[in-house]
Amino acid sequence: MKATSQTGAAFITTGTLTGATISSTVGGIGIAGSFGGVGIGAASVTAAGAVVGAAVYGAFKGITEGDTVAYGAMGIGAVGGVGVSNIVGGIGFVAPKIGLAFGIGTVPMAGIGAVLGLAAYGVAKLLDDSEFKEPPIQLFERMEAKVLQNDYYFEALLELSGDDINAKFTALEVDNELNKLKAKINVEPPKIKPKILNITPQITGIWQCVKTLKGHTATVNAVAIHPDNQTLVSGSNDRQVNLWNLQTGKLLYTFSGQAEAVLSVAISPDGKQLISGSVDRKISSWELETKRYNRTFSYLSSPYSHNGFINALVYSPNGNIIVSGSTDKTIRIWGSYSGTIKRTLNGHMDAVLSVAISPDCTTLVSGSADKTIRIWNLQTGETRYIINQHLAAVNTLAITPDNQTLISGSTDSTIKFWNLHTGELRYTLQKYSTAISAIALHPDGKIIASSSEDGIIKLWNIATGELIETISGFSPLTFSADGRILISGGKGGTLKIWQQVHSGDHLPSTGEWWEILGVEPKTHPKDVKLAYLRLARLYHPDINTSSSAKTAIQAVNQAYQKFQLVNDL
């Protein structure tokens, strides 16, 4: 251990001994306030002494090294202290043995918070001077992230969004601002986790709705993005298939001819052909470049492709075949351009709702209303095995790019991850309360998006099962080939284009409030607030040092103010 580390340890040890001495001298100590009374044992007082010792060491290092991070740590701690004061009201210390009783107001609480911030800085310096590799600035950012999780801090952003925002934080002129906020909002006490130093939230970007597409007159059931990431097709209950410019959101063309609602669409891997499946039991195909109608895929002498609705369509990754699933309980394999039937797969006892083909084109997977998943040999049509662990219909399926994992979403409100080769269940996500209607796999194979019937879309880390982000929207879902765009269904026949926004990106500074916040005009107030909080966290100048951050945060705050005025919040 370095000499500086030994010095830091000495400060903390001295503080610990001092805390123990205080405890033995004054006896029992308690905290009293509007929440009642709580006793503090000797161990807690001893720990408090250690904190003070760490704070003294932090002050020592900050002064001797001229490190401005020390002052930032004090500022963040002070904000937290003021927040606690506003939450719990008046606080006082009592020590009956020596007849001591005194109150602590908001300003002293800010001071206590500053001491804690300085203590964290001191510990970080101590770790930095020892064998630990984490620099002080990383610990400071993590501590700041915890403060940013509290709603009252985000509301403070709205009040403090003027040109002198940094000066206000530096001067700790937050007491009056937060008192005003207290009269406007009810803040729940933050749940303090015991090991904050082990929590490393890292926000690299958020998904923001950049456009809402309006052109269908009924619910959209299916979407597909062209391989060049320039155009999008959608199928709807209005019997139309629409072609959109993905960059501008402009409606380019409408493919007509389906006699009933369109339930499924797909674009060939070479980007030349579009197919759709309909309630009219037909699979129709068009040339995308010329918009010319090609044919209807027919089975034997029948004018139809199936004897039931065409719920699902998928091209094989090599583009050689098309697989369709129907309410007639069958799966059919077609030549992609000839439209000739190659094989019919039987086995499901109810409607086939979803199909997926592995990236290596060897495995076909199907999900059914009979609650089962069937895994087929795509070359021979033989069933490899059957999975029957879902409790309701299997609505949606995906296979990871490495051909190792199968993902299923069900009406039983779960998402399950399976070993594709053995059928072994790896883990289950059960954080939904309604049926899973769609899932979409990010091209990198690391993230999956899922939608449910309650209008909630969640993005998950596949490796850990961790929930990354929650946005508002419906099925269908699909990612672009480059992973930069997510398409989801909206309300009333609309589609949403979501784009991942990073901290260095330029946020639009003009436009309607819902365009800046990335929501629809009639979005629920809770979802609007959530969108605001995410953007405020991403662009706040205390965190984001990019040149566009200040302009962006002001635009975000002004947009949220307009929303509040319009809705009288």
Side-chain angles (χ1 to χ4, degrees):
M1 183 179 289
K2 298 179 183 180
T4 50
S5 298
Q6 294 174 349
T7 302
F11 274 103
I12 295 175
T13 301
T14 301
T16 302
L17 293 174
T18 302
T21 301
I22 292 173
S23 178
S24 63
T25 301
V26 303
I29 298 177
I31 299 177
S34 58
F35 53 84
V38 180
I40 303 176
S44 300
V45 177
T46 301
V51 170
V52 174
V56 173
Y57 176 64
F60 171 77
K61 294 295 289 185
I63 293 172
T64 57
E65 296 181 5
D67 192 348
T68 57
V69 176
Y71 302 105
M74 292 176 65
I76 293 297
V79 172
V82 172
V84 171
S85 177
N86 278 283
I87 292 168
V88 303
I91 298 177
F93 275 100
V94 293
K97 181 177 178 180
I98 61 174
L100 176 64
F102 61 94
I104 301 176
T106 300
V107 174
M109 282 299 293
I112 292 173
V115 170
L116 292 175
L118 200 55
Y121 169 78
V123 172
K125 292 299 292 183
L126 178 60
L127 293 177
D128 189 49
D129 291 333
S130 65
E131 293 82 10
F132 293 92
K133 302 300 182 183
E134 184 179 44
I137 187 62
Q138 186 173 343
L139 179 61
F140 169 70
E141 289 175 349
R142 290 196 280 126
M143 184 178 70
E144 181 185 39
K146 284 301 292 182
V147 175
L148 289 174
Q149 290 176 8
N150 296 325
D151 270 1
Y152 66 78
Y153 181 79
F154 283 106
E155 293 286 352
L157 296 180
L158 184 62
E159 302 292 333
L160 305 175
S161 59
D163 292 338
D164 61 342
I165 181 169
N166 291 322
K168 286 188 177 183
F169 273 101
T170 303
L172 298 179
E173 296 176 1
V174 295
D175 194 16
N176 292 333
E177 303 287 348
L178 290 175
N179 281 334
K180 293 177 183 178
L181 291 175
K182 181 181 177 182
K184 293 165 57 179
I185 59 175
N186 294 319
V187 183
E188 294 293 331
K191 297 180 179 179
I192 301 174
K193 295 184 179 180
K195 295 183 179 180
I196 294 178
L197 296 183
N198 291 332
I199 300 172
T200 56
Q202 186 66 34
I203 298 179
T204 57
I206 61 172
W207 288 90
Q208 183 188 15
C209 181
V210 294
K211 289 183 179 65
T212 299
L213 307 183
K214 300 178 180 179
H216 285 292
T217 58
T219 300
V220 178
N221 298 312
V223 291
I225 297 178
H226 194 281
D228 66 6
N229 299 311
Q230 298 299 311
T231 53
L232 163 76
V233 295
S234 57
S236 167
N237 283 347
D238 64 8
R239 309 178 184 183
Q240 306 297 332
V241 175
N242 285 345
L243 178 68
W244 310 83
N245 183 306
L246 195 55
Q247 308 305 315
T248 65
K250 181 181 178 181
L251 178 60
L252 301 176
Y253 190 79
T254 296
F255 299 91
S256 301
Q258 293 83 190
E260 300 293 343
V262 179
L263 303 180
S264 51
V265 295
I267 297 175
S268 60
D270 62 10
K272 294 181 179 180
Q273 182 175 258
L274 160 68
I275 56 173
S276 69
S278 171
V279 170
D280 66 6
R281 299 176 285 168
K282 295 179 180 180
I283 299 173
S284 303
S285 70
W286 293 266
E287 293 291 337
L288 266 175
E289 185 175 352
T290 63
K291 313 299 186 298
R292 182 176 65 89
Y293 175 76
N294 278 339
R295 64 178 60 84
T296 295
F297 292 13
S298 60
Y299 175 66
L300 298 178
S301 59
S302 170
Y304 303 107
S305 309
H306 275 274
N307 294 322
F309 304 165
I310 316 296
N311 291 322
L313 287 173
V314 63
Y315 277 91
S316 61
N318 59 18
N320 293 335
I321 62 172
I322 292 168
V323 175
S324 59
S326 170
T327 56
D328 65 9
K329 308 177 187 178
T330 68
I331 300 162
R332 287 185 175 165
I333 300 175
W334 311 82
S336 61
Y337 282 92
S338 66
T340 57
I341 184 73
K342 292 182 175 293
R343 183 176 287 113
T344 296
L345 304 181
N346 296 287
H348 282 296
M349 304 303 292
D350 206 335
V352 178
L353 303 177
S354 53
V355 290
I357 299 175
S358 63
D360 62 5
C361 297
T362 64
T363 304
L364 167 66
V365 182
S366 58
S368 170
D370 66 10
K371 308 178 187 179
T372 69
I373 302 170
R374 285 181 174 257
I375 289 76
W376 312 79
N377 184 315
L378 188 57
Q379 307 304 319
T380 66
E382 295 177 346
T383 300
R384 290 179 176 169
Y385 57 88
I386 301 172
I387 297 174
N388 57 5
Q389 296 185 43
H390 275 294
L391 302 178
V394 180
N395 299 318
T396 178
L397 296 167
I399 299 173
T400 55
D402 61 5
N403 292 290
Q404 298 301 311
T405 303
L406 166 66
I407 308 170
S408 60
S410 169
T411 301
D412 65 12
S413 305
T414 67
I415 300 171
K416 294 182 182 290
F417 293 74
W418 316 85
N419 183 311
L420 178 63
H421 305 290
T422 66
E424 178 186 3
L425 179 62
R426 290 180 170 171
Y427 61 89
T428 300
L429 300 177
Q430 295 177 305
K431 296 185 179 180
Y432 276 101
S433 57
T434 58
I436 306 299
S437 51
I439 56 176
L441 187 63
H442 193 279
D444 66 7
K446 297 179 180 179
I447 297 173
I448 189 170
S450 59
S451 65
S452 61
E453 293 181 352
D454 57 7
I456 296 175
I457 297 172
K458 295 182 179 180
L459 290 99
W460 310 85
N461 182 316
I462 291 178
T464 64
E466 175 190 6
L467 179 61
I468 299 173
E469 189 171 351
T470 299
I471 57 180
S472 60
F474 297 86
S475 63
L477 288 175
T478 189
F479 282 101
S480 60
D482 60 10
R484 298 180 60 188
I485 291 174
L486 172 66
I487 304 297
S488 79
K491 293 182 178 180
T494 63
L495 286 167
K496 289 184 176 182
I497 300 179
W498 301 86
Q499 189 168 356
Q500 195 168 26
V501 180
H502 295 274
S503 59
D505 295 343
H506 289 273
L507 187 74
S509 58
T510 59
E512 301 293 342
W513 65 264
W514 58 86
E515 295 173 333
I516 296 175
L517 295 181
V519 297
E520 293 182 12
K522 295 183 180 180
T523 299
H524 192 281
K526 289 184 178 179
D527 293 326
V528 175
K529 184 176 182 181
L530 181 61
Y532 163 65
L533 300 186
R534 289 199 304 263
L535 290 172
R537 172 68 177 90
L538 189 65
Y539 286 102
H540 190 273
D542 284 357
I543 302 166
N544 190 332
T545 58
S546 66
S547 59
S548 61
K550 185 175 181 179
T551 300
I553 191 62
Q554 289 177 341
V556 168
N557 288 332
Q558 290 170 5
Y560 192 59
Q561 283 179 324
K562 290 179 181 178
F563 160 73
Q564 290 180 311
L565 290 174
V566 170
N567 292 273
D568 296 323
L569 297 178

